[in-house]
Amino acid sequence: MNSKHILMTIACAAALCGSVRAEAEARETEGQGLNWAMGKGVTFGETSVVSAEVGLAFDSKFMSYGLVDNNDPILTPSAALTFFDWVTLGVEAIFDTSSYGKRAGYRDHAFRYQELDPGVAIGHAFGPDDAAWLPTTVAFELGYMYEFHPKVVDDDTQFLTFSVGLPDLWFEPTFSYERDIDRDDGTYLNLEVGHTFSVVEGKEEGDDDILAFRVSLAQGWGDKRRVVAYLPDVGNDEAEGLGRASMMDTCVKGELTWNITDGVSLGAYAAYYDYLFDSHARNSAKAYEATGSHTDSFSFVMGVSLAVAF
């Protein structure tokens, strides 16, 4: 695998959606009811048939569970296809932008991928219109992801994930579950609450906001296996690591989203991570960073992203 494979994956996703678009336009001409619109993909009446999204994100650091996995900026291209608003096939890759890999002990991978993440997810949102007994919208997603690394970086692993959220409530709660199948067989839980403020409303009722700002607060928790795998021993607990389940990262984040036009959005965020609720975990977090230069349990991270849906 190399950057050519990543670009090929994104190109294939775009080509597939383009062929579906052409077929939709042909069938619409024949009066069969298929339609295509930028940002909405191919629909049959009110039913989504297939949509695609490609994106590119830039992050000032690469974070995992509030820990610094790469202290230099990274680039993350991504592509996804969603069928019938239920099943999503996606892939993303993480690219080093510096010689950080050499300093961290896995060779210089500047502008070459250090991680490739293909996956599949089943998810949907149900509201009162779907079931009268629902007081508000409930969104869920069940997913599988394979994390592939060049052998000079790390071993591969697999993840099972599940999330459920209430996006129409004012504080937009989301609960997430993650199980690492291979690397540590550990479990990580996260609870996030937040709120989205409209800065510039859409032109018509029902349109997405032209400019929106979201603030959120999230707290993570890891079982013993996850904590032992990530938090090093600092003389307080078992030799192999912290040795017990623990509260992990706290994240405070602000996100700004500009919907430039139908299907095209630009995002920016700033986030603060820290280990606030367990002193032993906090001391371990200070010693985590791969080059050994990290002396704080907290990190500030910023990023920008561009997404195109069609």
Side-chain angles (χ1 to χ4, degrees), residues 13-236:
L16 177 59
C17 193
S19 65
V20 174
R21 173 190 176 184
E23 181 181 353
E25 291 176 341
R27 292 190 179 185
E28 184 181 5
T29 302
E30 297 170 5
Q32 296 186 24
L34 281 174
N35 298 280
W36 178 86
M38 190 70 178
K40 296 181 179 179
V42 178
T43 58
F44 186 85
E46 297 296 322
T47 302
S48 174
V49 178
V50 60
S51 60
E53 181 175 291
V54 294
L56 181 65
F58 170 88
D59 299 276
S60 61
K61 296 179 182 180
F62 179 23
M63 306 293 297
S64 295
Y65 318 109
L67 303 167
V68 180
D69 271 347
N70 188 331
N71 208 33
D72 292 341
I74 60 169
L75 286 173
T76 308
S78 61
L81 285 172
T82 300
F83 301 92
F84 301 102
D85 203 24
W86 270 90
V87 179
T88 299
L89 303 177
V91 61
E92 67 177 33
I94 298 172
F95 283 78
D96 284 343
T97 62
S98 70
S99 60
Y100 182 84
K102 185 176 182 179
R103 304 197 306 274
Y106 59 83
R107 299 184 189 175
D108 183 359
H109 268 61
F111 294 99
R112 289 181 289 171
Y113 81 99
Q114 67 179 61
E115 183 175 311
L116 180 66
D117 301 327
V120 59
I122 299 174
H124 199 68
F126 298 93
D129 291 341
D130 303 301
W133 52 269
L134 283 174
T136 186
T137 301
V138 178
F140 84 95
E141 183 176 274
L142 176 66
Y144 165 83
M145 186 187 78
Y146 189 93
E147 184 179 297
F148 177 85
H149 296 270
K151 294 306 178 184
V152 295
V153 176
D154 200 354
D155 293 332
D156 299 349
T157 191
Q158 304 173 74
F159 291 94
L160 291 177
T161 60
F162 175 76
S163 67
V164 60
L166 306 174
D168 288 346
L169 295 187
W170 192 91
F171 56 100
E172 303 169 2
T174 300
F175 172 79
S176 302
Y177 164 92
E178 176 190 277
R179 181 65 175 266
D180 188 330
I181 300 173
D182 294 326
R183 181 185 292 138
D184 54 47
D185 196 28
T187 295
Y188 174 79
L189 308 178
N190 189 277
L191 178 63
E192 178 182 289
V193 294
H195 183 70
T196 302
F197 298 90
S198 175
V199 181
V200 179
E201 295 182 351
K203 295 180 180 179
E204 298 180 6
E205 185 176 354
D207 288 350
D208 291 335
D209 293 330
I210 296 175
L211 192 64
F213 178 69
R214 185 174 189 269
V215 292
S216 62
L217 172 65
Q219 178 60 52
W221 176 91
D223 69 358
K224 177 180 177 179
R225 285 172 291 196
R226 176 57 53 89
V227 171
V228 165
Y230 280 85
L231 293 175
D233 172 55
V234 288
N236 296 314

Side-chain angles (χ1 to χ4, degrees), residues 206-275:
D207 288 350
D208 291 335
D209 293 330
I210 296 175
L211 192 64
F213 178 69
R214 185 174 189 269
V215 292
S216 62
L217 172 65
Q219 178 60 52
W221 176 91
D223 69 358
K224 177 180 177 179
R225 285 172 291 196
R226 176 57 53 89
V227 171
V228 165
Y230 280 85
L231 293 175
D233 172 55
V234 288
N236 296 314
D237 298 276
E238 296 180 8
E240 67 270 23
L242 192 63
R244 54 181 169 78
S246 173
M247 299 291 278
M248 295 183 71
D249 53 312
T250 302
C251 177
V252 181
K253 181 184 289 187
E255 303 168 88
L256 191 65
T257 302
W258 175 25
N259 290 304
I260 301 171
T261 186
D262 290 341
V264 181
S265 63
L266 184 65
Y269 80 91
Y272 169 82
Y273 290 91
D274 203 350
Y275 277 62

